[in-house]
Amino acid sequence: MVELTSVLDSVRRSVNGSSCRLERSMIGQFLTSARIARFMASLFERQREHVRILDAGAGAGALFAACVEAMVSGNQRPLSIHVVAYENDQKILPYLKETMEWCKSTCQKAGIPFQGEIRAEDFIAAAIAQAEEGLFAVHRERFTHVILNPPYKKISGGSATRQLLDAAGFEVSNLYAAFVWLSAKLLEPGGELVAITPRSFCNGPYFRRFRIDLLNMMGLHRIHVFGSRKKAFGDDDVLQENVIYYMVRGKRKPERLIVSSSEGTDFDKSRSRSAPYDHVIPPSDRDAFIHFMLNDTDDRLMKKMEAFTTSLVILGVDVSTGRVVDFRAQEHLRYLPEVGTAPLIYPCHFVSGFVSWPAESGKKPNAIEVSPQTKDLLLPAGYYVLTKRFSTKEEQRRVVAAIYDPNRVEAALVGFENHLNYFHAKGKGLSANLARGLALYLNSSLFDQHFRLFSGHTQVNATDLRKMRYPSHDQLLRLGAHVKHKMPDQATVDEILEKECGIYG
């Protein structure tokens, strides 16, 4: 028998060699390595006599082949295996056929009847037709197993795919979510799904409907996190932080689930733990954020955060995304301040926890024209707390905050660029000490580490910041009293937070 690893890795090298990374990225195609495929196939738990496997967006077929290999080599072999693989990239179909032939040969040698179908058509259109109910609905297929590495690509507004999904009531912003959602709907009750996708669906507003509906339809039993994107997907230039998860069709949720992690594809060195389902997906959270409780340190973080019971709403504070999108307002931007302009603040103006303006680098504009065309982009001068919306995965901190102090910038109005979030009180500034205390809290290790429990991507959304717990108004004022001309160093910030808010241990 030809070894699966040699078949899949040979196919993967051939495909990657015959197409450039940009080309694969354009269609959101990242082929699964043999190691990842085998690990994913190992997560299925239930024995079936008659197996029906769906691999939507099959690529070269690594995932369903790993499933077939695991089932054929298991102690309780199925009586039959039927694979349905969707793939509409014509360039990869010859490789997919080669993998399907390997599966057929492997099953024949094991004496297991095998049927393999390659459907060179759009999976979304086919699945929606099956999901529809009514007199002329297509006969619904049902699968016992779904295994997926779907395409990672945003769905453009005017595309045929967008129109199909909207008409069917599937509210998703990325192809991978559409593939997972539709595949889950094609599972029979008790059917199992294993998928590898970006972690972005676990929090934030864009995937809220998808996340809630998926978790209502499926029970989440396991989730696996990669510590290093480069080690796991270095040869594919995957920008997202990916996760693997195992789910079972049905409304019943497990009491506990397994959370595991590995640096890369060294799954034999994985660390795993059992965590209460309600800790990973708190039932009180209407947005159903998924928290990654990887170790005892994470448990302690969650416990510490329970000391904070105040929301931004209670504080009378809101957080919004900077209004100035520079490329849209380009004609109104000025590199240096002049008469008739207002300060324009970018992340490059952050220095030691405060806004230092103007910046002398000359790389970004420092001002925006005050005119009828820009009046809705500007805010009245006041104390605001700003956070960067984007960071690199390698940066030490995900959340970086700075104070806009109106006493340091002589201006009646101010503009915040779109790469910033700003905390405000109904569109106006905060009190000085509240702003200082809030900035110190946002810059604490506790806040940053807790934020990372549910946010795997490098974008800090205003919605995510609203979800967080905050100290009380009085506690924030006490914190603010410690901030003078610059933000204290990290160790001091953390000591101040522990002392003033009593979160030792």
Side-chain angles (χ1 to χ4, degrees), residues 3-20:
E3 217 274 332
L4 177 63
T5 301
S6 62
V7 171
L8 294 183
D9 285 343
S10 172
V11 166
R12 192 164 181 260
R13 284 193 298 270
S14 297
V15 173
N16 286 352
S18 63
S19 61
C20 66

Side-chain angles (χ1 to χ4, degrees), residues 32 35-43 63 147-148 152 193-199 201 220-226 232-233 241-247 258-260 262 264-265 267 292:
T32 318
R35 274 193 174 188
I36 291 176
R38 275 201 169 115
F39 175 73
M40 290 173 66
S42 75
L43 299 184
L63 290 174
I147 191 159
L148 285 171
Y152 311 164
L193 178 147
V194 175
I196 179 169
T197 71
R199 181 178 162 176
F201 78 93
L220 178 63
H221 287 250
R222 179 161 181 172
I223 195 155
H224 183 88
V225 187
F226 294 98
F233 312 100
E241 184 171 345
N242 285 355
V243 292
I244 294 170
Y245 42 98
Y246 165 65
M247 309 182 82
I258 301 297
V259 183
S260 59
S262 62
T265 58
F267 297 111
F292 290 77

Side-chain angles (χ1 to χ4, degrees), residues 199 224-233 240-244 260-267 269-271 292 294 393-394 398 452 456:
R199 181 178 162 176
H224 183 88
V225 187
F226 294 98
S228 170
R229 182 178 61 231
K230 289 181 179 178
K231 288 183 181 178
F233 312 100
Q240 299 91 341
E241 184 171 345
N242 285 355
V243 292
I244 294 170
S260 59
S261 63
S262 62
E263 278 301 296
T265 58
D266 49 344
F267 297 111
K269 298 178 182 177
S270 291
R271 301 171 298 279
F292 290 77
L294 296 176
K393 189 174 186 295
E394 289 68 32
R398 186 67 47 82
R452 288 170 183 264

Side-chain angles (χ1 to χ4, degrees), residues 100-116:
M100 193 70 82
E101 283 299 316
W102 181 91
C103 291
K104 181 180 178 180
S105 172
T106 300
C107 286
Q108 282 177 343
K109 290 173 183 176
I112 299 173
F114 175 83
Q115 183 180 355

